[in-house]
Amino acid sequence: MRVAVVSESFLPTVNGVTTSVLRVLEHLRARGHETVVIAPAGAPARYAGARVVPVPTLSYREFPVGLPTPIVSRTLADFAPDVVHAASPFLLGAHAIGASWRLGIPSVAIFQTDVAGYAQRNRLAAATSFAWRVVNLVHDKADLTLAPSSSALYDLAAAGVQRLDRWGRGVDLDGYHPRLRHDPDALALRARLAPDGELLVGYVGRLAPEKQVERFATLRGVPGIRIVIVGDGPSAPSVRSALAGMPVEYLGALHGRQLALAYASFDVFAHTGCEETFGQTIQEAQASGLPVIAPRSGGPIDLIDHGRSGLLTDPDNPRSLRTAVRELAADAAVRARLGESARRSVLGRTWQAVGDELIGHYERVIDEVRARRSADAETMFRLLGSSGARLF
């Protein structure tokens, strides 16, 4: 199979979209499929055997935005893929979906960024409705839109997006593992972060407005805890201001083994954003055997079984985070039980499993488009045949 991956985000930018695309490319190569990537300029020339075709970009809030360009249509026409994979489509992805439609190439759009949620959070009521119309327009010509959670599926259907299915994300069960809690490097990190045996409440993710990391301010005054924040982004000054004077450690952006060791040093993982379409760092924390606290909103609803593998908080009441942290801080046995259950909950979510599921979606779309074309051709043949019979 030949797959063209068009991504709004790619290396060197690291975020949920980029990470998902990287895992998809690695899996496609492992399964023997041929790929090409179309992404914003600045990316490496190749990744996982795939040639990376750059497009011009502009910068928005430290984020490179790929621009629609004839390069997209030319690349698709030259590569002649069996299917186009549009990752979190917006400007670049929408252009690619349209080009695929004109070229007769099946396309699969991956919904991953809650654009409408951004408008709502900024109290742009009129913009929220407009944002959903934009989402509908972007996905209109895609043969299939895949959403990562039941909440996202519901929102897309309510916005009028058609041809929907669900596709989650995988997690590295070996890289993120409870055994790392006994690794000497993790023990050393923990000793540095909690010199007096404090309970470590960790966060991993981008420091951006939609992540609402400032909500950790509600933990001010909770005894015996230390907050550990892994990540960076445009909201870093706002977060530092909101949490000034609190026991907080900022580790910056971490990747690979260093990130896994950070998870291993935590006692509790807390997520603060209420607009997650999925919640990949939640899965990583669960794979690490951590009890997870997250708002009862969006993707976390599917990932956390409240009271069994973690705690879901009230998204409209930031102080509910304080209540949940105090509950877990008071009972090590509950933390252990929730963490063990959290690990079990992700055992079937390897990248290999979800990668094969994605390939199944590709194959279904390709078959459906071929069947539709065959039916259209047969109908046209019958119409032409009956027109010819009337002429004679």
Side-chain angles (χ1 to χ4, degrees):
M1 185 187 305
R2 294 164 69 84
V3 182
V5 177
V6 183
S7 183
E8 301 288 342
S9 177
F10 200 65
L11 296 172
T13 302
V14 178
N15 54 33
V17 175
T18 299
T19 300
S20 177
V21 168
L22 298 183
R23 301 295 86 80
V24 166
L25 291 171
E26 292 161 3
H27 186 73
L28 290 173
R29 184 184 193 185
R31 291 291 188 259
H33 301 294
E34 188 176 352
T35 55
V36 68
V37 180
I38 301 173
R46 301 190 72 85
Y47 186 86
R51 178 171 61 98
V52 179
V53 178
V55 299
T57 67
L58 58 81
S59 180
Y60 175 70
R61 289 177 58 199
E62 305 179 10
F63 187 83
V65 178
L67 300 176
T69 166
I71 294 171
V72 176
S73 295
R74 289 200 300 268
T75 300
L76 295 180
D78 292 343
F79 185 67
D82 297 295
V83 65
V84 170
H85 172 123
S88 192
F90 188 50
L91 292 178
L92 178 60
H95 180 69
I97 292 170
S100 303
W101 182 79
R102 290 189 296 272
L103 293 167
I105 303 169
S107 61
V108 175
I110 312 298
F111 180 75
Q112 197 160 336
T113 303
D114 188 1
V115 178
Y118 172 85
Q120 186 175 21
R121 175 173 43 81
N122 286 279
R123 299 179 182 176
L124 304 173
T128 302
S129 177
F130 173 74
W132 277 119
R133 289 200 297 272
V134 171
V135 169
N136 199 342
L137 182 64
V138 167
H139 289 260
D140 179 59
K141 286 185 170 60
D143 294 292
L144 177 65
T145 290
L146 295 175
S149 65
S150 58
S151 174
L153 275 176
Y154 176 85
D155 289 342
L156 287 165
V161 178
Q162 302 181 48
R163 300 177 296 280
L164 293 166
D165 209 334
R166 185 169 163 184
W167 178 64
R169 302 292 181 271
V171 63
D172 182 355
L173 295 176
D174 292 324
Y176 303 107
H177 198 287
R179 64 170 172 263
L180 279 178
R181 294 184 68 83
H182 306 292
D183 184 285
D185 291 334
L187 293 172
L189 177 61
R190 180 175 177 79
R192 177 170 70 83
L193 296 174
D196 297 318
E198 297 94 335
L199 181 101
L200 295 183
V201 179
Y203 166 85
V204 175
R206 194 161 182 262
L207 303 187
E210 67 272 13
K211 301 300 183 181
Q212 299 171 284
V213 183
E214 293 86 350
R215 285 188 170 214
F216 278 112
T218 192
L219 301 183
R220 189 180 299 274
V222 175
I225 70 166
R226 183 172 291 273
I227 301 165
V228 183
I229 294 178
V230 177
D232 203 350
S235 290
S238 172
V239 171
R240 287 181 177 272
S241 175
L243 307 186
M246 296 178 64
V248 185
E249 292 285 342
Y250 297 91
L251 300 186
L254 299 177
H255 307 284
R257 174 173 164 80
Q258 295 307 310
L259 176 57
L261 290 172
Y263 279 116
S265 72
F266 300 160
D267 295 295
V268 174
F269 182 82
H271 185 77
T272 49
C274 300
E275 298 163 19
E276 293 296 324
T277 57
F278 186 67
Q280 182 62 12
T281 59
I282 291 175
Q283 283 201 146
E284 292 169 354
Q286 290 173 322
S288 303
L290 291 173
V292 178
I293 300 170
R296 191 186 296 274
S297 174
I301 296 174
D302 294 326
L303 298 176
I304 298 172
D305 185 356
H306 180 70
R308 293 180 180 272
S309 62
L311 299 177
L312 292 170
T313 61
D314 181 355
D316 298 321
N317 179 13
R319 288 189 65 83
S320 64
L321 170 63
R322 181 186 182 92
T323 301
V325 167
R326 289 178 67 96
E327 178 180 341
L328 294 185
D331 199 326
V334 170
R335 294 199 302 271
R337 175 175 58 80
L338 295 181
E340 182 180 348
S341 179
R343 170 72 184 183
R344 287 199 304 269
S345 73
V346 296
L347 291 180
R349 301 180 195 161
T350 64
W351 276 109
Q352 290 78 11
V354 299
D356 285 340
E357 183 184 346
L358 178 62
I359 291 171
H361 286 302
Y362 290 162
E363 293 170 342
R364 176 163 62 89
V365 166
I366 292 169
D367 289 344
E368 288 175 352
V369 171
R370 285 174 179 167
R372 189 164 63 242
R373 287 179 190 158
S374 177
D376 290 345
E378 184 177 343
T379 300
M380 183 62 69
F381 180 79
R382 286 201 305 268
L383 290 173
L384 290 174
S386 61
S387 298
R390 287 196 296 272
L391 287 174
F392 294 99

